Amino acid sequence: MKVKKQPLFPKIEATLQFINKTKISTKRQEVLQPLINYLREKTDAGKQINLNFICTHNSRRSHLSQIWAQTIAHYIGLKNIYCYSGGTEATALYPMVVKILKNSGFEIIKITETENPVYAVKFSDTVHPVVCFSKTYDASFNPKSGFGAIMTCNSANEACPIVKGAESRFPITYEDPKVFDRTPLQAEKYHERSIQIATELLYVFKTAKEA
């Protein structure tokens, strides 16, 4: 099936067009396949898809995953998909994540000046922004049931063998760019992790839709 692309801000679209040619290793494809199957089943049944990306602090990887997932779903025209994020505890969205996303073409507005700021993240002029702030995965802002839980870090994956309300659970973990904080490699490693997440989610959503 030919995928009709939906409009994004130009720099984001250029990034996705570039990474579309990236090969995913066989080992990693095996990790991603259960999520692809889940998306296919929900789409074939005409059901709404809720995805909750979960990490320990909901400060880095889970937000990158949520934002890229919602962006890519719009881009490839995957309907009725709503992306959320949460942690086993709430902290704050880490500023370097905001910087990396801005550098990738997202428009980001800080709505509140608090210890746990709220951000509006836009990827297109045609849809509402993604509202981002740190929260627990079961916070009132997130779905209470009928969602797919994607565990984006090992510590949250181990701490939550059962995610309350989730109908399916997917351990798709990423190395934490936090280990490079306050080092000369910080920006490079955050960008690397962001692109890895975007690459894999583009593969997941395209494969699910094109089946």
Side-chain angles (χ1 to χ4, degrees), residues 107-170:
E107 293 183 1
I108 304 179
I109 300 171
K110 184 187 283 189
I111 299 173
T112 65
E113 292 287 349
T114 57
E115 290 185 4
N116 182 11
V118 178
Y119 297 87
V121 181
K122 291 200 69 170
F123 52 82
S124 171
D125 280 327
T126 64
V127 293
H128 293 298
V130 180
V131 177
C132 295
F133 62 97
S134 185
K135 69 199 82 66
T136 57
Y137 77 84
D138 57 353
S140 59
F141 198 80
N142 289 341
K144 295 297 184 184
S145 62
F147 61 89
I150 297 93
M151 316 306 289
T152 62
C153 73
N154 284 324
S155 56
N157 185 41
E158 293 168 0
C160 297
I162 298 175
V163 178
K164 184 179 179 181
E167 59 184 10
S168 295
R169 182 180 177 282
F170 308 97

Side-chain angles (χ1 to χ4, degrees), residues 48 53 59 94 96 102 119-121 123 132 143 160 164 176 181 190 196 204-205:
Q48 178 174 305
F53 295 89
S59 58
Y94 195 65
M96 181 55 69
K102 283 184 176 179
Y119 297 87
V121 181
F123 52 82
C132 295
C160 297
K164 184 179 179 181
D176 194 352
D181 287 354
Y190 272 76
Q196 180 193 6
V204 165
F205 288 163

Side-chain angles (χ1 to χ4, degrees), residues 161-195:
I162 298 175
V163 178
K164 184 179 179 181
E167 59 184 10
S168 295
R169 182 180 177 282
F170 308 97
I172 302 175
T173 62
Y174 297 95
E175 293 183 8
D176 194 352
K178 179 181 179 180
V179 298
F180 296 97
D181 287 354
R182 295 176 293 279
T183 74
L185 292 174
Q186 184 182 32
E188 175 186 337
K189 292 300 181 180
Y190 272 76
H191 175 73
E192 181 181 290
R193 193 62 60 244
S194 177
I195 293 301

Side-chain angles (χ1 to χ4, degrees), residues 3-195:
V3 176
K4 182 180 179 180
K5 303 297 190 300
Q6 300 300 315
L8 297 174
F9 293 138
K11 194 170 182 180
I12 302 173
E13 185 165 354
T15 296
L16 292 178
Q17 288 176 347
F18 175 77
I19 66 176
N20 186 42
K21 303 172 185 177
T22 304
K23 299 295 184 182
I24 307 291
S25 71
T26 301
K27 183 177 180 180
R28 198 61 180 171
Q29 287 181 31
E30 292 172 356
V31 172
L32 300 171
Q33 190 61 47
L35 178 56
I36 293 170
N37 295 341
Y38 176 78
L39 295 173
R40 284 174 176 164
E41 290 168 6
K42 300 287 279 190
T43 300
D44 290 346
K47 294 181 178 179
Q48 178 174 305
I49 302 169
N50 294 320
L51 300 178
N52 194 351
F53 295 89
I54 300 171
C55 203
T56 304
H57 300 116
N58 192 210
S59 58
R60 294 170 175 81
R61 289 163 286 179
S62 50
H63 272 111
L64 287 170
S65 299
Q66 175 194 7
I67 292 163
W68 276 118
Q70 197 68 68
T71 301
I72 292 166
H74 169 76
Y75 178 60
I76 68 170
L78 191 59
K79 305 295 185 182
N80 298 319
I81 182 165
Y82 301 91
C83 302
Y84 304 85
S85 67
T88 55
E89 60 183 277
T91 55
L93 178 58
Y94 195 65
M96 181 55 69
V97 172
V98 177
K99 181 177 180 180
I100 290 300
L101 289 170
K102 283 184 176 179
N103 289 344
S104 296
F106 292 87
E107 293 183 1
I108 304 179
I109 300 171
K110 184 187 283 189
I111 299 173
T112 65
E113 292 287 349
T114 57
E115 290 185 4
N116 182 11
V118 178
Y119 297 87
V121 181
K122 291 200 69 170
F123 52 82
S124 171
D125 280 327
T126 64
V127 293
H128 293 298
V130 180
V131 177
C132 295
F133 62 97
S134 185
K135 69 199 82 66
T136 57
Y137 77 84
D138 57 353
S140 59
F141 198 80
N142 289 341
K144 295 297 184 184
S145 62
F147 61 89
I150 297 93
M151 316 306 289
T152 62
C153 73
N154 284 324
S155 56
N157 185 41
E158 293 168 0
C160 297
I162 298 175
V163 178
K164 184 179 179 181
E167 59 184 10
S168 295
R169 182 180 177 282
F170 308 97
I172 302 175
T173 62
Y174 297 95
E175 293 183 8
D176 194 352
K178 179 181 179 180
V179 298
F180 296 97
D181 287 354
R182 295 176 293 279
T183 74
L185 292 174
Q186 184 182 32
E188 175 186 337
K189 292 300 181 180
Y190 272 76
H191 175 73
E192 181 181 290
R193 193 62 60 244
S194 177
I195 293 301

